[in-house]
Amino acid sequence: MVSVKALVLLAAGAAAMFEGGSAVRELAAGSFDRVVERSSQPTFVKFYAPWCGHCQSLAPEYERAAERTRGVARFYAVNCDEESNRGLCARFGVQGFPTLKAFGEKRSKRGRRRAVDYQGARKASAMAAFARSLLPSLSTRLGADGLEAFVAGAALPAAVLLTERAKPGDLWRGLAARFDRRVRFAHMAAPAGQVLRRLGIDRLPAVAVFADPADPSAAQVYAGEPKHLPLARFIHAAAVARSAQPGPDPLAVQQIETQADLERLCIAPAEASPVPVLCIIGVVALEPAFAESRAEHARAVAVLESVLRGQQLRSPHAATGGSGDDDDDDEIEAAGSAPSPPLRAAWVNGLGAAGQQVRALFGLSDDLPTAVAVSPRKRAAAPYRGSFASADMLAWAEQCYGGRGMRRLASELRIADAAPAHDEL
């Protein structure tokens, strides 16, 4: 006979420990990586079983910690009794309940956030304090004349806090972590009146968002309440959504002829991606006047395209379906938040000026086709030494993505544009 206590425990096991409206969100294995990896905000995960008495006792304190750190950290829970979640719990070495894991800014070579075991007190104040201790400092301090240079300093949009305080608070640092690698954050203390008038700001604190780095004069100013959710919505609408212009197809292999092509096809996707991006540059011979050369070129490009399709199937960063964890806060991320594929590819004509520069820059052989794997973010590269075949190249690219064979570049990742031709006198 099943006891009343057992029936209660069985009933508890059928329901999630944290229901809708809670500051703690339930996570499933299918959405875990997408949710945890998408920002650099401190993230707590409680691995539990519904029948576990200690898990039930911890729940109120865990939820209070989540409430105290809204906008600064994220608190999640994973039910290890669910069949679909057991592999995930095993992956994190869960052997007892509850197990608390915390994710900070540090990432592995493959771009995954590193988990640490939380061994502190199981009190809301202690867990909230630990979460805040993991908050990275991603906001750049600007001097009196530093605004325009910062806005124009990279391809990403910028958000700038103008304040009377010398240092930004946890709210701003939490937003910077949330939008890490998609929006650059900065703060300016006691800005000059000239700066405020140019931006149309009449009171502090205020937030100015610059969606287009090429136009530092065009800013959208937030003058609402200094609260996380409305600020996050404003920054997403003004910067992330607005700047999400259709970029190059991540599965297309396009030609690099100039520095602008290199930046568009390799450097910019790496800067904007929430995960590390490796760019495979194929150096291919092409003499358009000869049919045989055109056919060889087409075969080489097809190999690069095959590598991209292969990594879409095998990548740990490939999009997973079905979240089931989004609330009003998380749905801000819905627009344009699909994970970026970790591999990109382009080709350069090894017989042209750009191809010769690429071969010299990376020390590639004269035997074509060949290739080089480049990590723009780490300024590292690895030349390819094998046969130009998709299976071999995909295995090599995955090893490079893990850091094997990658070496720091001795010079800047740049190719000089070909000088324009001039008629002789």
Side-chain angles (χ1 to χ4, degrees):
M1 177 180 292
V2 179
S3 68
V4 173
K5 181 178 181 180
L7 288 172
V8 170
L9 292 177
L10 286 171
M17 185 166 287
F18 301 95
E19 301 296 341
S22 169
V24 180
R25 316 309 294 171
E26 293 275 346
L27 272 185
S31 59
F32 185 91
D33 286 337
R34 179 184 65 81
V35 171
V36 171
E37 300 292 346
R38 71 183 173 191
S39 84
S40 294
Q41 277 187 316
T43 302
F44 254 89
V45 180
K46 171 186 176 181
F47 294 91
Y48 74 94
W51 45 261
C52 163
H54 291 298
C55 302
Q56 296 166 13
S57 299
L58 176 62
E61 292 291 329
Y62 193 69
E63 184 148 12
R64 277 193 286 272
E67 289 283 358
R68 293 181 184 182
T69 55
R70 276 189 184 271
V72 174
R74 296 171 180 267
F75 279 70
Y76 296 105
V78 174
N79 182 354
C80 292
D81 252 15
E82 292 284 346
E83 181 68 32
S84 59
N85 291 338
R86 289 179 182 174
L88 176 66
C89 297
R91 170 180 147 193
F92 284 98
V94 176
Q95 297 180 338
F97 303 115
T99 292
L100 298 182
K101 300 279 186 178
F103 298 79
E105 182 187 14
K106 293 182 179 179
R107 294 179 181 264
S108 69
K109 289 183 178 180
R110 291 189 63 85
R112 290 189 183 275
R113 298 178 73 185
R114 295 186 184 275
V116 297
D117 290 311
Y118 174 71
Q119 304 288 3
R122 304 293 177 95
K123 296 293 184 181
S125 58
M127 289 184 284
F130 186 79
R132 290 179 185 277
S133 74
L134 296 176
L135 193 60
S137 297
L138 299 175
S139 181
T140 301
R141 182 177 180 178
L142 301 181
D145 301 322
L147 180 61
E148 289 192 5
F150 175 77
V151 172
L156 295 179
V160 180
L161 170 67
L162 300 107
T163 176
E164 296 173 336
R165 300 174 55 180
K167 295 181 179 181
D170 285 352
L171 172 59
W172 187 248
R173 294 172 65 203
L175 286 165
R178 178 186 191 124
F179 290 100
D180 185 25
R181 304 181 188 182
R182 291 177 295 164
V183 180
R184 294 173 300 124
F185 275 66
H187 56 280
M188 178 181 286
Q194 181 181 1
V195 173
L196 298 179
R197 286 191 295 273
R198 188 170 75 245
L199 297 175
I201 295 173
D202 57 11
R203 63 177 181 176
L204 300 178
V207 172
V209 173
F210 302 83
D212 184 2
D215 188 4
S217 64
Q220 295 187 68
V221 177
Y222 177 83
E225 289 186 280
K227 293 185 176 180
H228 169 75
L229 190 52
L231 263 170
R233 285 175 172 158
F234 175 81
I235 292 170
H236 186 275
V240 179
R242 182 161 298 191
S243 65
Q245 303 295 331
D249 181 352
L251 294 184
V253 179
Q254 299 182 35
Q255 183 179 8
I256 294 175
E257 295 183 277
T258 65
Q259 177 66 21
D261 293 333
L262 179 62
E263 292 179 357
R264 179 175 61 89
L265 298 174
C266 289
I267 298 175
E271 289 183 347
S273 173
V275 300
V277 167
L278 196 68
C279 186
I280 309 299
I281 301 176
V283 184
V284 182
L286 174 60
E287 296 180 276
F290 298 96
E292 184 177 354
S293 178
R294 295 197 302 270
E296 288 291 336
H297 164 264
R299 281 192 287 270
V301 171
V303 168
L304 295 173
E305 291 172 342
S306 179
V307 170
L308 293 184
R309 289 194 299 270
Q311 61 100 21
Q312 286 291 96
L313 297 177
R314 294 163 61 172
S315 168
H317 300 291
T320 55
S323 62
D325 57 89
D326 291 343
D327 58 7
D328 289 341
D329 188 34
D330 288 338
E331 69 186 19
I332 294 170
E333 309 287 348
S337 62
S340 172
L343 298 183
R344 299 294 181 100
W347 69 276
V348 62
N349 190 348
L351 304 180
Q356 292 172 10
Q357 290 186 64
V358 168
R359 286 157 55 190
L361 179 62
F362 300 109
L364 304 181
S365 72
D366 294 334
D367 295 330
L368 303 181
T370 186
V372 61
V374 182
S375 173
R377 187 178 296 172
K378 295 182 179 180
R379 289 189 60 190
Y384 181 59
R385 306 297 188 192
S387 62
F388 211 84
S390 57
D392 293 341
M393 292 192 72
L394 178 56
W396 161 75
E398 290 179 339
Q399 290 177 354
C400 292
Y401 192 80
R404 184 180 299 181
M406 299 291 285
R407 297 291 182 268
R408 294 280 293 179
L409 293 173
S411 58
E412 188 177 358
L413 185 57
R414 175 170 292 276
I415 57 174
D417 294 342
H422 297 283
D423 293 333
E424 294 184 1
L425 293 175

